[in-house]
């Protein structure tokens, strides 16, 4: 994280083509991802530069894969360390 307070955290994440993440859920925090560059697919939906994804607490995604090198900026609110559970 670049900034972390009790109310929110902000980070930039960089990915390499082929990077994958298994699905997860946040029970406390909302997570907003802004796609800076590249192309990724999540739950069969392609996200690219300028797209925004808002996952509310309790919502999950099942799979994430980078189709190209990519970067996202992510805001989580509130900041809740350990609030990431596999699905």
């Amino acid at each position: 994280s670049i900034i972390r307070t009790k109310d929110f955290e902000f980070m930039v994440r960089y990915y390499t083509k082929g990077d994958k993440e298994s699905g997860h859920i946040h029970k406390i925090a909302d997570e907003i991802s802004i796609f800076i560059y590249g192309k990724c697919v999540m739950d069969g939906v392609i996200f690219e530069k300028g797209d925004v994804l808002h996952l509310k607490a309790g919502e999950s995604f099942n799979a994430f894969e980078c189709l190209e090198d990519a970067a996202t900026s992510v805001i989580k609110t509130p900041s809740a360390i350990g609030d990431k559970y596999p699905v």
Side-chain angles (χ1 to χ4, degrees):
S1 293
I2 297 169
I3 299 172
R4 178 179 283 153
T5 71
K6 66 179 176 57
D7 298 317
F8 78 97
E9 61 184 89
F10 172 78
M11 68 189 81
V12 176
R13 298 207 47 200
Y14 296 93
Y15 299 94
T16 301
K17 179 180 178 178
D19 283 351
K20 296 179 182 182
E21 288 186 12
S22 56
H24 69 270
I25 189 170
H26 299 286
K27 295 180 180 179
I28 299 169
D30 281 14
E31 183 174 279
I32 301 164
S33 297
I34 302 157
F35 291 79
I36 300 169
Y37 66 83
K39 190 181 292 185
C40 305
V41 62
M42 191 175 342
D43 284 340
V45 177
I46 294 177
F47 294 91
E48 47 196 340
K49 181 179 177 178
D51 289 340
V52 176
L53 173 65
H54 182 184
L55 290 173
K56 295 182 181 180
E59 292 181 328
S60 66
F61 71 87
N62 294 318
F64 174 89
E65 181 178 355
C66 285
L67 305 175
E68 303 173 352
D69 290 353
T72 61
S73 57
V74 180
I75 301 165
K76 242 171 70 173
T77 183
S79 179
I81 296 172
D83 181 39
K84 187 174 184 177
Y85 305 90
V87 291

